[in-house]
Each structure stands twice: as structure tokens, then as C-alpha cells.
Amino acid sequence: MGYNNSEKFFRIYNGGHSQINFSQISADFTVGFDGDFVEHYEHTKSYIQKRVQLLKQVLLNIGIDEYYFFGLTYNIHLDIGRDNPFKYINKLLGDSFTDRSNLYEVMQRITSVEEDKFFINQQISTFKEYQNNGINVPTLMSFLNSKLIQEGVSVSLDVNNRFAFLDNGTNTSMSEFDCELNKIFDLIERTLQHLEA
């Protein structure tokens, strides 16, 4: 299937940049957000919902009436204000590393199952971004030639209905797609609320 021109199905709007890739067994829809979208979850949700409906229509038009599973992944930086990233993440994850003053980064992955159908995968970690101020070996950052410009807490949140497929091996009808998409957004929103320390 040769759908290489994503703009045929998705207009590029200020704040969202979409790309779709089809293979023989999957369709991947990727969005990068900037501008006001970065700080407004509802804008990102609306953007995704509209374009996923276009993707769904394309799949129906080419005769796809069932699917194995699908999901959404959000990669975000939490707004931690002026908090130290380690103190903030300590509030989220508990006191398991309170006495470790030499920590450089922290990462925890948690997977849970909802309604015997949905996986909720969340990875919480600290991050540091450096600006290169000199010539370095490619892909190797030097502390001497780089300046720390930002640090904080990031979350990768992946919610999908793959558990149901793995558990019973049955496909899902496209007629259930909208209901499952709404449930996935509900689970994303509930999980994000718990991440506000």
C-alpha cells in the first residue's frame, strides 16, 4: 500500500505536525506539538481525535473492518515549577531514594492492566538538556563544552488495548474504535492527574 504523502490526509496546522506511515500490518500516526499546544492538553486531544477519524476512514475505505489493537503514547515534560526534579519525582515515587545525594538521573517504569483489556504503561524519569558550546565527538556530549539549559521530569505514557488481544486472540471491529479511543483518552487523563505531585 503506497500512502507516502501524509498531507493528502492530514493538513499541517500551527501547533501540530502529523505524519502517517502504512505498512502491510500496521498504520502509525505520529504528531509533534509546539506553540500553544505544548501547554494545553485539550488542544492536543482535539487535534489527535480529528486526524485519527481521517485515518479510520482511510482504513475503512480500503476494506479494513477489524484490527488487532491500537493505542496512544504521550511523551511530555511535566510542569514542576521551581521544584528540584529529584524532589518532585520523590513525591511521585516515594522515599525510595531520599538519602542518595549522588543521584544523576532516575527512571521508573510501571505497567498496569485496566478492565482486562487495556495496558497502561508509564515511564517516569528525570531529564537534562545541554547546549553544545564547542566541537565534540558526534553523539558524545562533553560537560566541559556544554551548558545545562534545562532539567526536569518527563513522562512517557502509553495506553493501548493490546492486553485484550494477547489474552483472547480475537480481533476488534472498527465499529468499536471510537468507544475504545474515548476510553484510552479517559485512562490517559486519569493517569496524568495522578502525576501532579
Side-chain angles (χ1 to χ4, degrees), residues 10 29 31 45-59 70-72 174 177-178 181 185:
F10 302 97
F29 171 53
V31 185
K45 179 180 177 181
S46 175
Y47 185 96
I48 292 168
Q49 286 174 319
K50 288 175 185 173
R51 279 134 194 93
V52 166
Q53 289 303 314
L54 295 173
L55 173 58
K56 175 184 151 188
Q57 191 58 52
V58 169
L59 294 174
F70 79 97
L72 295 173
M174 287 295 277
F177 184 90
D178 291 343
L181 178 64
F185 269 116

Side-chain angles (χ1 to χ4, degrees), residues 6-7 9-20 29-34 36-38 40-55 72 74 181 185:
S6 63
E7 290 182 297
F9 305 110
F10 302 97
R11 291 183 186 156
I12 304 300
Y13 289 91
N14 183 24
H17 309 279
S18 307
Q19 180 178 0
I20 184 169
F29 171 53
T30 305
V31 185
F33 292 108
D34 57 23
D36 289 341
F37 282 64
V38 173
H40 297 283
Y41 166 79
E42 286 301 323
H43 291 353
T44 67
K45 179 180 177 181
S46 175
Y47 185 96
I48 292 168
Q49 286 174 319
K50 288 175 185 173
R51 279 134 194 93
V52 166
Q53 289 303 314
L54 295 173
L55 173 58
L72 295 173
Y74 266 81
L181 178 64
F185 269 116

Side-chain angles (χ1 to χ4, degrees), residues 130-184:
Y130 289 87
Q131 182 177 35
N132 187 353
N133 293 325
I135 299 173
N136 287 330
V137 176
T139 73
L140 184 61
M141 188 270 304
S142 165
F143 290 124
L144 294 176
N145 295 325
S146 301
K147 176 183 175 186
L148 178 65
I149 57 171
Q150 183 182 14
E151 61 181 327
V153 176
S154 65
V155 174
S156 179
L157 181 58
D158 167 36
V159 180
N160 62 67
N161 60 358
R162 188 173 184 168
F163 184 88
F165 175 74
L166 296 175
D167 190 44
N168 59 38
T170 57
N171 299 345
T172 303
S173 168
M174 287 295 277
S175 64
E176 297 180 48
F177 184 90
D178 291 343
C179 181
E180 297 211 338
L181 178 64
N182 290 335
K183 180 62 179 181
I184 286 173

Side-chain angles (χ1 to χ4, degrees), residues 62-73:
I62 62 174
I64 305 296
D65 56 3
E66 292 184 329
Y67 56 90
Y68 295 145
F69 53 85
F70 79 97
L72 295 173
T73 301

